[in-house]
Amino acid sequence: MISYLTKRLLAVIPIILFAIFLMFALIRLSPVDPAEAYLAAAHIHPTEEILAEKRQEFGLNESLIMQYVQTVKQIVQLDFGNSYVTNTPVWQEVVTRMPATIQLAVSSILLAVIVSVPLGFLSAVYKNSVIDHFSRFLAYLGASIPQFWLGYILIFVFAVQLDLFPVEGRGSWQHFVLPSITLSLALIAIYTRLLRASVLEELEKVYVTYGRTRGIKEKTIMVKHVLRIAISPMLTGLGMNLGKLLTGTIIVEQVFSWPGFGRFFIEAILNRDIPVIQGYVVLAACLFIVCNLIVDVLQLYMDPRISWKGRTES
Amino acid sequence: MIASIRTASQGRWAITISSVVLLTFFLISILAPWIAPHDPVHVNLAVKLAPPSWEYPLGTDHFGRCTLSRLLYGARVSLGFAFLIFAASLGIGLLIGTLAGYIGGWIDLLLMRFCDGVMAFPNLVLVLGIVGLLGPGLWQVVVALMMVQWVYYARMIRGMVVSMKEQNFITAARMSGSSTGKIIRRHLIPNVLPPIIVMGTLEMGWAIMDISALSFLGLGIQPPTPEWGAMIHEGKAFIRSQPELMIYPGLFILFVVISFNILGESLSERLGVKRRY
């Protein structure tokens, strides 16, 4: 197990180096150089002298390879530079905004799991019934509805018309309801269908017939045996769709004025705040990779049939 | 993802209906200048936020622009650019994927590692990052989406080419003296077509969603060009008085994207294409 984990962790390094490289290359390829972007974002009138000074400070006069090595060195120490706009370290900005985003993401995942486990399970057990058709409809809807529009529709119905929930901001539990629903619909769509497919697959297995012939209660077979195994692919789904969740938070935070990480990212894009953009993308890639790793490890615990050894070789 | 077992007739119906909806939208986007009642960018403050009338069937927005005309022209932008992104990323993916799969060796290794690297990012995060560094604007969005999408085609096509390369009919073609170019053209490409059609259909839906999301965030299409996502962005200010301004464009996006999704899923069942997600 240790060797498996070490191998997986080592495999993360080149991907993160690549992420940094991609961002680095894009910054150099972009028509605006960081010194100009900095002056524009900080509202300083650009003169040749200041530009030259800033170029020196950012190390833009060094060779490209040296600059890349320097960037990697800094990022490894979690130093993403200072935001051009607020002039505080990017890492600090991220840390202060992270809790809001994580809360939103966690509450959406919880909501998605609470809805999609019973829905997916029932639509497999009662295949082609009303509930199955409903879950199929929900799956198409969740995959096709623009999240920002869904957010506004919910605001219109539940905040403007019915006045049940606040329109925007963060504070009480009521503030969580609409953003979480908005964010979780796409996840519900995926998880419900994933669970349905894996339950249907399990129902074909011999042990189900065996359990039935032994006279074990149908309910026991379903909940204790089928559901327990069938739920495992959902975990993979959770890891695979983390990207969807992450980009979802960007849009949902924008709609509900949620003071999180995603909204900060959009502001940074509009201001050309290069260190923040770079920091966000690199961190998002890291988060994505690490969460997928965690999901894989969890899955090994859940399903002992997948051997550690087999995984190491692939 | 939404794969499910349906009877053949259900599948056929789904294909027919979604194709008809999509065809209608394609016609709208082509014929927009002739069927739209007004110029979509013509500002007339005298009739701003007007309710529906014979003159303005769906009313007007805060600049007095005809909502219906803007919606019809919006189809043009969304479908047009989605198709452009699809065609370009397919083209690049086809070229790189076929090359990598057919030639193999270290070129294959290098290209595929690059694809893996791009795929390690959550899709829209990378797109936003690219747009952020290149600056907001329609063309930047198109380039960013293309840069991210082609790797999926390249990976898929490379996989199919590798598995097909060793099959007998290819060996037979080579033995009978066909050139590499001819083998790729006549034998490989026809065989990889069904999965491409399925993926392309689904990707059109994603591209439309992504374009509208970026426009909504203020990073894509800049005003006054009519685009559905941007229209929602503008309409949200009037959510209390004139909610239909933001409801209509969303419905249009939903209809188009859901049709692409249903068509893609149905085609994948029909053509027997297995999908991993």
Side-chain angles (χ1 to χ4, degrees), chain A residues 56-304:
Chain A
Q56 185 68 34
E57 191 190 317
F58 290 153
L60 296 178
N61 300 332
E62 313 248 352
S63 70
L64 280 178
I65 295 171
M66 278 312 290
Q67 285 184 45
Y68 177 63
V69 171
Q70 192 61 30
T71 316
V72 172
K73 258 189 201 163
Q74 285 174 342
I75 289 178
V76 167
Q77 298 160 11
L78 293 178
D79 173 13
F80 294 94
N82 288 3
S83 157
Y84 291 168
V85 179
T86 60
N87 219 2
T88 41
V90 173
W91 178 247
Q92 203 180 314
E93 298 274 3
V94 167
V95 169
T96 54
R97 284 174 176 81
M98 218 40 193
T101 300
I102 291 176
Q103 279 172 0
L104 185 61
V106 169
S107 69
S108 309
I109 292 179
L110 282 180
L111 184 64
V113 170
I114 289 168
V115 175
S116 52
V117 168
L119 195 61
F121 184 60
L122 289 176
S123 50
V125 176
Y126 303 106
K127 203 172 117 187
N128 288 329
S129 66
V130 178
I131 193 160
D132 189 19
H133 290 308
F134 172 72
S135 86
R136 183 177 297 141
F137 167 74
L138 203 66
Y140 275 124
L141 193 70
S144 313
I145 201 165
Q147 262 175 331
F148 52 98
W149 186 66
L150 176 64
Y152 285 121
I153 293 291
L154 291 177
I155 289 179
F156 174 64
V157 176
F158 293 102
V160 176
Q161 297 291 91
L162 301 174
D163 201 19
L164 286 174
F165 299 106
V167 173
E168 55 177 35
R170 170 172 173 253
S172 63
W173 67 270
Q174 282 101 329
H175 284 97
F176 276 97
V177 178
L178 297 182
S180 304
I181 295 175
T182 311
L183 201 49
S184 62
L185 186 67
L187 300 177
I188 291 172
I190 297 164
Y191 297 160
T192 307
R193 294 323 268 184
L194 261 178
L195 186 64
R196 178 186 181 273
S198 67
V199 168
L200 282 178
E201 205 175 293
E202 284 305 309
L203 286 177
E204 302 278 304
K205 298 266 170 77
V206 185
Y207 73 85
V208 177
T209 326
Y210 175 72
R212 280 181 185 147
T213 49
R214 280 279 310 266
I216 298 173
K217 263 190 267 167
E218 189 72 13
K219 206 173 143 191
T220 319
I221 301 175
M222 289 297 168
V223 177
K224 272 191 105 168
H225 301 287
V226 173
L227 187 61
R228 236 177 94 180
I229 297 177
I231 225 161
S232 163
M234 259 183 86
L235 267 178
T236 330
L238 208 68
M240 264 166 39
N241 291 296
L242 201 86
K244 213 166 245 151
L245 189 69
L246 211 65
T247 51
T249 57
I250 297 176
I251 288 165
V252 171
E253 282 176 12
Q254 198 72 15
V255 171
F256 292 94
S257 302
W258 191 267
F261 191 23
R263 214 163 143 236
F264 185 56
F265 181 44
I266 298 299
E267 270 167 43
I269 292 176
L270 292 171
N271 290 326
R272 282 263 178 124
D273 198 342
I274 293 172
V276 177
I277 299 172
Q278 184 186 26
Y280 184 94
V281 176
V282 171
L283 282 176
C286 294
L287 196 70
F288 194 51
I289 297 163
V290 170
C291 285
N292 272 316
L293 184 62
I294 294 172
V295 164
D296 278 356
V297 173
L298 267 180
Q299 213 170 18
L300 292 180
Y301 274 107
M302 297 263 303
D303 196 341

Side-chain angles (χ1 to χ4, degrees), chain B residues 37-243:
Chain B
H38 295 275
D39 180 355
V41 292
H42 177 70
V43 174
N44 183 1
L45 289 174
V47 291
K48 72 172 183 183
L49 296 172
S53 62
W54 281 113
E55 172 95 45
Y56 298 99
L58 293 177
T60 58
D61 67 1
H62 57 297
F63 284 124
R65 296 174 298 200
C66 173
T67 305
L68 180 64
S69 307
R70 287 180 71 72
L71 285 171
L72 297 177
Y73 270 91
R76 213 164 221 224
V77 177
S78 292
L79 289 174
F81 282 102
F83 188 77
L84 183 70
I85 291 163
F86 155 72
S89 45
L90 174 63
I92 303 170
L94 204 59
L95 187 73
I96 305 274
T98 321
L99 276 178
Y102 201 80
I103 297 172
W106 65 271
I107 296 179
D108 180 27
L109 197 74
L110 200 72
L111 289 172
M112 286 308 115
R113 283 291 90 74
F114 184 82
C115 292
D116 286 344
V118 173
M119 284 163 132
F121 288 92
N123 242 332
L124 201 58
V125 171
L126 187 55
V127 171
L128 283 170
I130 297 172
V131 172
L133 296 175
L134 297 181
L138 179 59
W139 285 104
Q140 286 88 324
V141 167
V142 171
V143 167
L145 284 170
M146 241 160 53
M147 278 172 75
V148 174
Q149 283 302 341
W150 72 266
V151 298
Y152 293 87
Y153 288 103
R155 263 239 91 139
M156 179 179 78
I157 289 160
R158 184 239 170 220
M160 290 187 297
V161 170
V162 165
S163 77
M164 224 167 280
K165 198 163 61 168
E166 302 306 324
Q167 279 173 22
N168 286 339
F169 70 93
I170 303 284
T171 321
R174 191 176 298 131
M175 277 167 69
S176 58
S178 296
S179 66
T180 303
K182 194 177 175 190
I183 290 174
I184 292 177
R185 218 170 46 243
R186 293 285 295 274
H187 299 286
L188 292 181
I189 291 178
N191 275 295
V192 301
L193 215 52
I196 291 175
I197 293 172
V198 170
M199 194 169 160
T201 314
L202 293 167
E203 202 217 304
M204 284 287 288
W206 297 331
I208 289 173
M209 284 256 261
D210 286 351
I211 293 172
S212 69
L214 285 157
S215 301
F216 161 77
L217 293 169
L219 304 172
I221 283 118
Q222 304 297 322
T225 314
E227 198 276 340
W228 297 333
M231 284 172 76
I232 295 175
H233 181 71
E234 287 177 283
K236 72 170 199 249
F238 307 95
I239 194 165
R240 282 169 201 280
S241 54
Q242 231 99 4

